[in-house]
Amino acid sequence: MKFLNQGSFTLSFSQKKWLAAIAVVFFSIMGSTQAAIAKTSPNLVVTVADVKNMRAAIKEDGQFKRTFIASKASVDEQIKRAIIVPMPQDGGGGYTHERHKKNYKLMYDAGIIYQLTQDEKYANYVRDMLLIYADLYPTLPLHPKRKMGKQSPGKLFWQSLNEAMWLVYTSQAYDLVIPSLSTKEKTKIETGLFRPMANFLSVESPQTFNKVHNHGTWATAAVGMTGYVLGEQEWVEQALYDLDKSGKGGFLRQLDELFSPQGYYNEGPYYQRYALMPFVTFAKVIQANQPERKIFEYRDGILLKAIDTTIQLSYNKLFFPINDAIKSKGIDTIELVNGVAIAYGLTKDAGLLDIAKQQNEIILTGDGLKVAQALDRQLEQPYQFKSVAFGDGNDGKQGALVVMRQNVNGEQAVLFKPTGQGLGHGHFDKLTWQFYDKGAEIVSDYGAARFLNVEAKFGGRYLPENQTWAKQTIAHNTVVVDEKSHFNANVKMGNANHPELLFFDKNEQVTISSAKIDSAYEGVLLKRTMALIKLPLQNKPGQEQSLVIDVFNIESNKAHQYDLPVHYKGHLISTDFTLDTQLTSLSALGKENGYQHLWLKAQAQPKAGLSQITWLNDNGRFYTSSAVMDGDSSLIFTQIGANDPLFNLRNENAFIHRKAKAKNHTFVSVLEPHGEYNPSKEFTISAVSSIENLSHQKVNNIDVVEINFVGNQRYLLAFNSANNIEKEQSNSFSVNGINYKFEGRFKLFSIK
Amino acid sequence: MKFLNQGSFTLSFSQKKWLAAIAVVFFSIMGSTQAAIAKTSPNLVVTVADVKNMRAAIKEDGQFKRTFIASKASVDEQIKRAIIVPMPQDGGGGYTHERHKKNYKLMYDAGIIYQLTQDEKYANYVRDMLLIYADLYPTLPLHPKRKMGKQSPGKLFWQSLNEAMWLVYTSQAYDLVIPSLSTKEKTKIETGLFRPMANFLSVESPQTFNKVHNHGTWATAAVGMTGYVLGEQEWVEQALYDLDKSGKGGFLRQLDELFSPQGYYNEGPYYQRYALMPFVTFAKVIQANQPERKIFEYRDGILLKAIDTTIQLSYNKLFFPINDAIKSKGIDTIELVNGVAIAYGLTKDAGLLDIAKQQNEIILTGDGLKVAQALDRQLEQPYQFKSVAFGDGNDGKQGALVVMRQNVNGEQAVLFKPTGQGLGHGHFDKLTWQFYDKGAEIVSDYGAARFLNVEAKFGGRYLPENQTWAKQTIAHNTVVVDEKSHFNANVKMGNANHPELLFFDKNEQVTISSAKIDSAYEGVLLKRTMALIKLPLQNKPGQEQSLVIDVFNIESNKAHQYDLPVHYKGHLISTDFTLDTQLTSLSALGKENGYQHLWLKAQAQPKAGLSQITWLNDNGRFYTSSAVMDGDSSLIFTQIGANDPLFNLRNENAFIHRKAKAKNHTFVSVLEPHGEYNPSKEFTISAVSSIENLSHQKVNNIDVVEINFVGNQRYLLAFNSANNIEKEQSNSFSVNGINYKFEGRFKLFSIK
């Protein structure tokens, strides 16, 4: 079975196919044998052994018992009422859609309560509902609200995705009540419901079932889990290895392709936590039924990495809102509650308990019990957030999502995004960044333009402004060339190209990363280096200062307009240059590509040298962006809101550095958190930047950024972002007649 | 001494004067005698008995000990450094200003640590600093940065207000270290510092000392406290009864005049908590030295009422931000920490401990110790917030500040403001309102336009926009006539007039209040009735619904334009009428009186009947404002930000109901919290209003508001807002041929 654990050695593609073919045959035989001899129930996510422990736990005080009591009360309330299984009729969000969703959740919960209480009334409720579904299902045509061509249709639901979800839950509900059912009932339910539905989702929907895509994962999980319950090992094989068992599709191929080796899912964390659900659920089921497959060790433990990466991609409990993401989604989503419980069950990692505690939700499974008991005993240890470059793409080499973190009077995080496009939900934001400090967004990403499930806002779907604003490049903190979006906002082009991570490196004081892309705009090379830095505060022993340094270099043979926005969160406090503010009328900044949504509020043309913009965040801290100006560039202050007839957009603020015409240009800036505004205690300290001067020069291949602080403390950050250098490469340069040397990619020099 | 407790019987003004004159003579003799025989130290806020308990407490674990350790560490750190007593030079916020402020705080803290540790080094530090001040003070002229005519000048500080604060703290610091001082040192300090300073603040500054105003309270407190320490009972008498001891000014007169009988201070809670400090401090000192004065029983316990009222005027820990108020100020301010400690020391009210716990700050006094020990023993009980009409003015009859509260899935509060002007910090916002729900502002007040102590924002002072925007009527939720502010924004006119509270009443379901004013605009009567209502939710047994009903009636002999804004907090979700939104350019709504700061974002002219506007607050709840439209009125959607060259204003949103031309008009609306938006758990419920129809009619003298809910549940709110009615007045009216009757001011009828 060792070939399932591919992390430790490498196979060529043809070798993999060959081995997969053997595996199919091998498992087909073995699986069927097992099913015939070892059928116990329940044995999906919750096993017989789990149930034994869970029954004991509800007799003792603790979080698990409290959750059980609450869940039982909720189920009791619901099963009092008549069972309703409506004829499928409505699309997403409509009545019949929601009713069928509620039904699977209720059957699952009732099944759990049945196992815990051994009270037949819960099993009978599930049985009665399943029998109704077993009568209904064979009569159903394709759903009347299906959208052929766009989504694979279902029968109970408008899309087969929902049908697969229904089956993932309902197969478990059935498994939980099997002990209470007569043979006749089982036959009726299996023949009328599970067999036709599994068949519909697999053999009859090959395009989805075989697809190496999140929708495929739901389908394979649903069919595979049903296969385990019904003793149909063949369905399990198909779920794992494609309908034709070639390994071209199926769950294992999805595990190979959909995550990078570091466990990053290329649509970003918002969709990663969503995609996680069928992966961890089905894997848990495989583990229970066929532990010899060592599914959690597959691909060097990719599933545990995926769970951990989802957590790593959060700040102050919320996911980094890259691509289409609802910004209030965070680590307490039910998908990650499940993921954390399963990961804790496997690893007993006390850091996961820290996350579980923040999630504040216990699930009624064997792993949920382990989490609850560990939390009761206060075994949690602080979860460690790290600075990591999460490689993108199945090989981890199609760009990367870079997270830099440190702690200076609160937690700082820089998210730097030289990732791939991330499919249809991806944004045209190559090399963008975000900054977080002291619990808050400071330099922000708009996320998705959507009010989830709010009917009045475009039916709760992605708003038209998601396309016209949120996905466009100007909505992000990266360079826009000639007011056009990256790849001309073409998804196919975006998916076909990706940035290249040049390096990611760190030491005690500096975390630094550099990346480039030459395909976002024809004939234009974009290259950005970002560093998160920790400095000792001059004259304040023991105190430290954070800085983010940003060097954005653009090269082209032709002259272009370059815009670099900073979407800042807070109230503008001051600028060290004169603002030409629009006082009595505003107009839109542009006509398309997102510019049509920006009001032009003010302009400025700072003289050559340093320009500083300070804002105050609600977290009580000041932030100053200091930039190197060439005397020719301008600054534009904007607010979102133009061409927004239905008030769909949030009215957020940005300033844009604009270089109107140049072939090559380098934007250089430093973001500096400082001081405190405390109107409650009536004090304000350090409301003014400590940076007195800033300069950038390229000496040989070396970028040198010099920062002068008030009081004459100076720092030089030198880095080498050439394509390929040797690890121990020796670099030297001279500034103001002084020679400097460093090895590798970078060095921070402190100069008195 | 009974005449000091005037709550229980009434005196004519001439009687009062006469009694006061007697009292002066009486107390002068008695006080001096006492001082001669009973001088102990310390005996101001902290007494010898307190010190004994506090010394015991720092030997035992608990909050008091922890606070002591932290305070001692801070003092230890500071007294290591050289004493700096600079020559007065800078105005507010400048170096010498801040240094002298730090010095008094440090001397006070060191004095406390000396008493607790009995370590002479702390006393010596205070002594050394006092000796330097005693050398310096006699040499000082008036402060170079004084602003004659505007503020009474100081010597250490630019205004005598700061000098008085300095003395309030430093007299206590001196009192705390007296036991360690030689007679020679005492003589030097008293002769060089305290006597001249007390003389300067009293005899030499009669205009401030005798003023019945918060600045006078600081001066009388400072001089009176110094009098107790130095055994100068005459100073105490002057502090209590005016320099000439006539009772025309002085502390007792301030207690008579500056609070209403319910303990409301007419500048509003933001300044009330500030004003509280010298009142409660001096009263505590009087209590320690002359308990026979029963100062805390004075005027029916006005000081305890003032402390309690300050707490009552908060929501979710923050003060209601009426008038000039920094919105982040709340119950954790140091003034109220002191007030709550002193009140708890007197009353042992466990509800105050709830507030103390939220304040999360222990003070090192005898009362602070009582609070700390009670919190250690978890004696706190939930503080009871109430629905109250706090009468304004010294007689409580100059309008009122009305607070209505209830709990329906979270706490609701309506603040209705038919108060007096509130002096120079008052806003022109007669009859305005605010609404709070589920922890958040829903219908909001801008508060003050100010970034406290942020130098870059107009030196940290009130911004120019405080005058041009924040004080103007359009910045509030009340009627603006002809685009002019109330009283034409004339403070003198405002102070000379006030609204009249017609009634405040409540029962289980309804809290209701009505008020009017005919002096805000010449020839225009404004009359508003607001009700906070709790209804059972139809078809949802056990669930309830909140509503706020608003009936704003305007009468005039001439035609005017009437604007009624609603400054809402949240994201606009939907309107049930067509919006004519400005897409590519915005212009300012007007030219003056605050209108110049509003961008006109959209307009609408809903047809006659019901108009509905729904927004979503960050608290996850939807809010719908349903209004009765006459087909002729229009709606204007605005955002703050025009004519704001330095980005001083927050860009908040409002909609304005506009009746362009009418003599009489009644605006009728209902605000309805509903549903939940939970993108984290991926559900949205009841995003749409349940109100189907709304109407208003005046039948005889009775206003009848009819609300029809979806599903045909109907309610009638009937009220009689005539000037004077009998308590048991019988009212009858008929609607749709049905007769209704009620007694008193109002009744809510439920109709199936």
Side-chain angles (χ1 to χ4, degrees), chain A residues 633-747:
Chain A
S633 298
S634 60
L635 274 160
I636 298 167
F637 289 75
T638 63
Q639 186 180 64
I640 304 169
N643 282 291
D644 182 18
L646 299 174
F647 291 65
N648 282 344
L649 292 168
R650 299 191 303 271
N651 303 135
E652 300 180 347
N653 300 304
F655 53 86
I656 302 173
H657 284 274
R658 171 169 288 182
K659 180 72 182 178
K661 202 172 175 199
K663 291 179 177 175
N664 300 335
H665 186 69
T666 304
F667 292 104
V668 177
S669 70
V670 171
L671 179 62
E672 171 199 7
H674 56 93
E676 182 175 354
Y677 177 63
N678 193 328
S680 170
K681 303 279 178 212
E682 296 201 347
F683 67 83
T684 298
I685 50 173
S686 304
V688 176
S689 165
S690 302
I691 293 178
E692 230 171 30
N693 203 10
L694 177 68
S695 68
H696 168 259
Q697 52 192 303
K698 192 115 181 181
V699 191
N700 306 327
N701 259 331
I702 312 301
D703 282 86
V704 183
V705 177
E706 179 175 343
I707 307 167
N708 293 35
F709 283 91
V710 174
N712 222 20
Q713 177 74 47
R714 294 190 307 146
Y715 291 92
L716 294 187
L717 177 71
F719 61 87
N720 182 340
S721 61
N723 279 6
N724 288 298
I725 68 165
E726 288 167 33
K727 206 172 157 52
E728 300 298 307
Q729 170 149 344
S730 216
N731 301 284
S732 67
F733 63 96
S734 107
V735 169
N736 299 331
I738 300 167
N739 294 317
Y740 299 88
K741 278 187 185 177
F742 67 99
E743 288 184 349
R745 283 295 190 178
F746 75 97
K747 183 160 181 177

Side-chain angles (χ1 to χ4, degrees), chain B residues 421-484:
Chain B
Q421 182 66 20
L423 307 178
H425 289 298
H427 286 195
F428 300 98
D429 63 351
K430 303 310 101 181
L431 313 188
T432 188
W433 71 300
Q434 298 165 40
F435 181 62
Y436 298 80
D437 183 33
K438 209 181 159 191
E441 286 181 286
I442 307 303
V443 173
S444 74
D445 192 293
Y446 193 88
R450 184 181 190 184
F451 290 86
L452 194 71
N453 297 334
V454 178
E455 186 62 31
K457 286 296 191 196
F458 207 66
R461 301 188 298 280
Y462 286 103
L463 292 160
E465 290 78 10
N466 194 54
Q467 189 63 40
T468 61
W469 167 253
K471 283 188 173 179
Q472 301 295 327
T473 306
I474 190 66
H476 302 84
N477 306 296
T478 187
V479 162
V480 187
V481 177
D482 298 333
E483 301 191 22
K484 293 194 171 71

Side-chain angles (χ1 to χ4, degrees), chain B residues 407-418:
Chain B
N407 285 278
V408 175
N409 292 324
E411 292 170 24
Q412 291 78 47
V414 168
L415 188 79
F416 175 40
K417 188 173 181 276

Side-chain angles (χ1 to χ4, degrees), chain A residues 329 571 581 583 643 645 647 680, chain B residues 329 571 581 583 643 645 647 680:
Chain A
K329 270 281 185 198
H571 196 116
T581 306
L583 297 179
N643 282 291
F647 291 65
S680 170
Chain B
K329 270 283 185 197
H571 196 115
T581 306
L583 297 179
N643 283 292
F647 291 65
S680 170

